[in-house]
Amino acid sequence: MKNENIIEVKGLRKIYKTGKLEFEALRSVNFTIAKKEFVSIMGKSGSGKSTLMNILGCLDTISHGEYILDGENVAGLSANRLATVRNQKIGFIFQSFNLLPKLTAMQNVELPMVYAGVKSSVRKKVAEEALDRVGLHKWFHHRPNEMSGGQKQRVAVARALVNKPAILLADEPTGNLDTRSTEDIIAIFQQLNKDGATIVIVTHEPEVAEHTKRTITFKDGQIISNEIIENQQIATYVPPDDWQD
Amino acid sequence: MKKYIDSINSAINSVLAYKLRSTLTMLGIIIGISAVILITSIGDGVYRSIYAEMNEFNMSSIMAMARNMQPTIDIEDVSAISNLPNILGVSTVSEIHNLYFPLRGGSEAHRDTLIGLDHNYTMIENISMLYGRFFSEQDFINASYVTVITSTTSLDVFGTINSVGMNLDIEGRFGRFSPLVIGIIDFDEDSLSAFGTPFGQSFATMPATTVANRAGREGIFHQIQIILENPTLSMATSDQIARLLNLRHDTEDAFMIMSLTTVVDGIDAVLMAITAFITFVAGISLFVGGVGVMNIMMVTVTERTKEIGIKKSLGATGTLIRLQFVAESIIITVSGGIIGIIFGLLAAHFVANIITSISPLSINMVIAQGPIVISVLVSIFIGVIFGVVPAGKAANLDPVESLRYE
């Protein structure tokens, strides 16, 4: 049976144990995300949304329940297998960009392909295409410390695209950006979604959530609402003219 | 594959990023390796130098003598030994001390040693005659009253080096006798009489038979030198001679049997012991150096926590992370090893020159491949052993925690 769901979460629980204390960060969560969806996950801090993000990204493990990613049950996988899943199925975008400072933009973008064993010539081509898609035509050889926040986040988005992952996971992607860059990044996400990408954004900003198509809201480790957004805001993307160098 | 190269590149960048720290970390390795290279090079050079000096002497002779001057070795012993296998010939030496050679034209007497030699002696020692001749076989058979003296004795007694044809007076507890001087020998000051008991510069020699006649039992054979056919069997032959002598004289271990090969072996053993000791101490330095590397690597892992988290989130496996840090550890230790080898060779060169200028040995430095290869292998080994623990720590970092690390 062909399953249109990229993510299926059933009865998901996450319990943190510190010494004798147990803290249940996620209490029996259930939801699905289908292909080509554009979903935002909202909630105050402590609501469990960050925990969920780490689990969806296979950075953290489930205590109970099921997480099926692109048809594969992620629960019992070995550490190496999880690394492969992260490499192949998930494209991460972090709030603080998380680029490697000693590598150029090009090298940063190529890195997931390096781990995937992709040939050098192919890597170069794919990386250039990805950087083009995010509007960074001539910044291939600059290092992160030579870039603004917005540019760095674009590099991070390009990096997330190169292995053609099943989902893009963004954790507060606009948290460290100014208004203009925020608009640009959201516009890029919307374009990517239009081109067929499945995107999940964790955010606490309603303005960001309004630009997505569905919002799942968390409180105290549980989903309190799961709503389609009627009037999705469309961000406008203006390519900056100070980038042609 | 590029992903492994990426790990190694990260390792190289990490080492180069903190040059001072990396260099200090290498210090223990550098010291340990250079010590080993130094001692093995010098030890090898000294051994070869001594061996070369020894080869100027006749390696094929064994000396036998009683440890406490008693019992003396007699003619039957000599015959018996001559009949053992591997014996080319036996040369007898008897030393009569405290005889007097009165000086011509004066009332003083020169106190000296009379040495009885036989015709085989020329097989053992290089005698260079300044004037006249050495004893012939006839002299031995006839027990002639002839003498060969050193140039120093001749000068002292007669006032001239060439005293061939004159008579040398000898006085002492055997009465007075005056053999004819038939030859003057030039005795090299530095050369040892085969095994370190030099006859000295000033003595007179006479045929052993003559001396035996004159001195009775006292004149018989304090020392014999046995010439071998096959020097490589000297150990076995030495044992046989010792057993035979002890058997004949009903003693146990009363005789000292020495050959140059035992002396050389003795020196070799000392050198090996010194080398082993210094290598052991160097090993301690290497161990401590390795611990230092491990310590710094733990710090490096902590510093790189965020980077490790990012890489893991992108799909780097624990193996790749491990590889990066073991590679970094190896880069440090091998660099230290190579620097240590260079320092060690330079130091060895320097020390060899010093030894050559202050001692009779002349040391020729040869760069031996063996210790160098072993040093490199040991460096790699240390890098692996002391890198494994920090690498494991890195590989097992929790991705979520690592990403939060600032």
Side-chain angles (χ1 to χ4, degrees):
Chain A
M1 175 180 81
K2 186 163 192 251
N3 197 339
E4 282 299 316
N5 287 332
I6 294 281
I7 290 179
E8 282 182 23
V9 170
K10 297 180 193 163
L12 181 61
R13 293 169 69 199
K14 178 67 183 178
I15 302 167
Y16 288 110
K17 292 194 175 81
T18 42
K20 285 205 182 139
L21 294 173
E22 278 188 9
F23 169 63
E24 197 163 357
L26 291 172
R27 307 160 194 259
S28 205
V29 172
N30 299 286
F31 66 91
T32 58
I33 294 180
K35 271 195 192 138
K36 301 192 187 178
E37 282 214 63
F38 190 4
V39 179
S40 51
I41 296 182
M42 289 200 62
K44 294 199 168 55
S45 45
S47 58
K49 65 182 196 298
S50 300
T51 309
L52 178 67
M53 176 61 140
N54 290 329
I55 287 177
L56 289 181
C58 297
L59 291 171
D60 202 353
T61 49
I62 308 170
S63 304
H64 298 276
E66 269 187 2
Y67 169 27
I68 299 176
L69 171 63
D70 200 19
E72 188 177 11
N73 191 337
V74 161
L77 294 184
S78 67
N80 277 352
R81 182 81 194 101
L82 281 175
T84 310
V85 168
R86 290 197 293 266
N87 182 254
Q88 297 288 305
K89 302 265 170 111
I90 300 170
F92 274 108
I93 296 127
F94 298 98
Q95 179 174 355
S96 54
F97 324 123
N98 283 349
L99 299 178
L100 292 176
K102 293 213 170 61
L103 302 182
T104 62
M106 187 73 156
Q107 288 167 332
N108 266 292
V109 171
E110 284 188 22
L111 199 50
M113 292 187 280
V114 168
Y115 293 144
V118 173
K119 259 190 353 201
S120 168
S121 44
V122 175
R123 284 202 313 259
K124 199 162 167 314
K125 193 156 137 315
V126 173
E128 280 179 10
E129 277 172 13
L131 283 166
D132 267 342
R133 278 178 88 181
V134 299
L136 288 178
H137 305 280
K138 297 200 194 285
W139 281 69
F140 301 165
H141 303 294
H142 287 250
R143 295 208 154 78
N145 61 357
E146 297 164 358
M147 299 181 188
S148 70
Q151 289 160 349
K152 283 194 270 198
Q153 197 60 297
R154 287 171 195 252
V155 173
V157 173
R159 179 178 68 181
L161 293 172
V162 292
N163 277 342
K164 300 193 184 13
I167 57 169
L168 293 177
L169 275 182
D171 187 2
E172 308 277 5
T174 57
N176 289 0
L177 300 180
D178 60 42
T179 323
R180 178 69 253 165
S181 305
T182 301
E183 281 278 315
D184 288 339
I185 291 293
I186 294 182
I188 288 174
F189 277 135
Q190 286 182 332
Q191 182 61 46
L192 290 173
N193 180 241
K194 209 155 134 214
D195 295 337
T198 312
I199 306 179
V200 177
I201 300 185
V202 167
T203 182
H204 66 277
E205 294 173 54
E207 301 82 29
V208 173
E210 281 163 13
H211 287 77
T212 63
K213 292 183 185 164
R214 176 148 76 98
T215 300
I216 301 175
T217 310
F218 274 79
K219 183 175 175 181
D220 294 331
Q222 284 178 316
I223 295 179
I224 54 173
S225 76
N226 189 340
E227 289 170 359
I228 298 194
I229 298 198
E230 298 299 329
N231 300 312
Q232 184 197 17
Q233 300 290 319
I234 305 294
T236 49
Y237 173 64
V238 176
D241 26 45
D242 58 328
W243 281 17
Q244 312 303 316
D245 62 344
Chain B
M1 288 245 258
K2 172 74 164 131
K3 57 182 172 181
Y4 302 118
I5 296 177
D6 174 76
S7 292
I8 295 176
N9 273 336
S10 295
I12 296 175
N13 285 332
S14 180
V15 172
L16 291 177
Y18 295 106
K19 290 196 184 67
L20 179 62
R21 181 165 91 179
S22 301
T23 308
L24 288 175
T25 309
M26 289 178 204
L27 213 51
I29 313 287
I30 294 176
I31 291 174
I33 297 281
S34 34
V36 170
I37 296 286
L38 173 63
I39 191 59
T40 51
S41 302
I42 293 294
D44 181 60
V46 167
Y47 178 79
R48 273 183 297 107
S49 167
I50 290 181
Y51 198 85
E53 291 261 341
M54 291 288 166
N55 266 328
E56 285 179 19
F57 297 95
N58 193 336
M59 294 282 279
S60 62
S61 65
I62 296 178
M63 183 199 73
M65 62 190 265
R67 287 183 200 278
N68 296 319
M69 297 298 280
Q70 293 292 328
T72 51
I73 302 170
D74 55 39
I75 302 240
E76 287 89 15
D77 292 327
V78 171
S79 286
I81 291 174
S82 303
N83 289 331
L84 287 175
N86 197 23
I87 306 291
L88 197 54
V90 181
S91 175
T92 58
V93 175
S94 43
E95 284 182 40
I96 315 287
H97 296 281
N98 299 332
L99 295 179
Y100 296 93
F101 304 163
L103 303 181
R104 286 287 158 189
S107 52
E108 268 182 76
H110 211 224
R111 190 163 74 171
D112 260 313
T113 301
L114 174 65
I115 298 178
L117 300 176
D118 68 5
H119 56 284
N120 285 331
Y121 191 72
T122 47
M123 278 207 248
I124 297 173
E125 286 290 344
N126 287 328
I127 312 281
S128 51
M129 306 295 304
L130 285 178
Y131 299 100
R133 63 171 182 87
F134 199 67
F135 308 124
S136 65
E137 201 168 349
Q138 269 315 106
D139 294 324
F140 289 102
I141 296 173
N142 296 344
S144 328
Y145 271 79
V146 289
T147 179
V148 172
I149 62 180
T150 65
S151 51
T152 317
T153 307
S154 179
L155 206 55
D156 286 341
V157 174
F158 298 105
T160 166
I161 294 186
N162 187 357
S163 51
V164 174
M166 302 199 214
N167 284 74
L168 176 71
D169 294 328
I170 302 178
E171 293 175 356
R173 50 192 181 282
F174 305 117
R176 186 182 222 250
F177 49 105
S178 304
L180 181 71
V181 177
I182 60 167
I184 313 287
I185 56 178
D186 178 25
F187 213 82
D188 182 0
E189 192 181 296
D190 280 330
S191 85
L192 311 171
S193 154
F195 315 118
T197 49
F199 293 142
Q201 275 194 287
S202 176
F203 56 86
T205 71
M206 290 180 68
T209 40
T210 320
V211 171
N213 286 344
R214 198 75 214 185
R217 273 211 73 86
E218 199 188 326
I220 309 247
F221 312 152
H222 301 110
Q223 189 191 91
I224 59 174
Q225 297 186 31
I226 303 117
I227 303 141
L228 305 178
E229 286 173 354
N230 185 354
T232 57
L233 301 174
S234 70
M235 287 294 285
T237 313
S238 300
D239 285 340
Q240 286 181 310
I241 294 169
R243 269 184 278 121
L244 186 149
L245 286 173
N246 282 314
L247 198 62
R248 289 182 56 84
H249 291 268
D250 200 21
T251 51
E252 253 188 73
D253 197 30
F255 295 92
M256 180 159 59
I257 317 286
M258 287 209 298
S259 65
L260 262 183
T261 46
T262 56
V263 171
V264 168
D265 286 345
I267 293 175
D268 196 25
V270 169
L271 280 175
M272 279 204 340
I274 294 177
T275 302
F277 175 69
I278 297 213
T279 303
F280 172 71
V281 174
I284 295 179
S285 175
L286 287 172
F287 180 79
V288 172
V291 171
V293 168
M294 181 162 79
N295 203 29
I296 283 295
M297 289 306 301
M298 295 297 257
V299 170
T300 302
V301 167
T302 303
E303 281 177 348
R304 295 220 175 310
T305 300
K306 184 109 193 231
E307 176 190 317
I308 294 169
I310 296 173
K311 288 187 170 181
K312 283 192 171 188
S313 72
L314 299 178
T317 54
T319 309
L320 278 178
I321 304 288
R322 229 179 276 266
L323 174 63
Q324 177 180 338
F325 288 94
V326 172
E328 188 171 334
S329 179
I330 292 177
I331 289 171
I332 292 177
T333 55
V334 171
S335 305
I338 291 176
I339 295 175
I341 290 172
I342 294 174
F343 273 13
L345 290 175
L346 286 174
H349 190 72
F350 183 65
V351 171
N353 282 345
I354 291 183
I355 294 183
T356 303
S357 59
I358 65 169
S359 86
L361 297 174
S362 114
I363 313 240
N364 195 6
M365 267 288 302
V366 163
I367 297 182
Q369 284 178 318
I372 291 179
V373 168
I374 292 180
S375 296
V376 172
L377 289 175
V378 165
S379 303
I380 295 176
F381 179 71
I382 292 177
V384 170
I385 296 285
F386 286 97
V388 156
V389 170
K393 176 180 164 199
N396 291 329
L397 284 177
D398 176 53
V400 174
E401 289 300 321
S402 317
L403 284 167
R404 282 201 204 120
Y405 189 85
E406 210 50 64

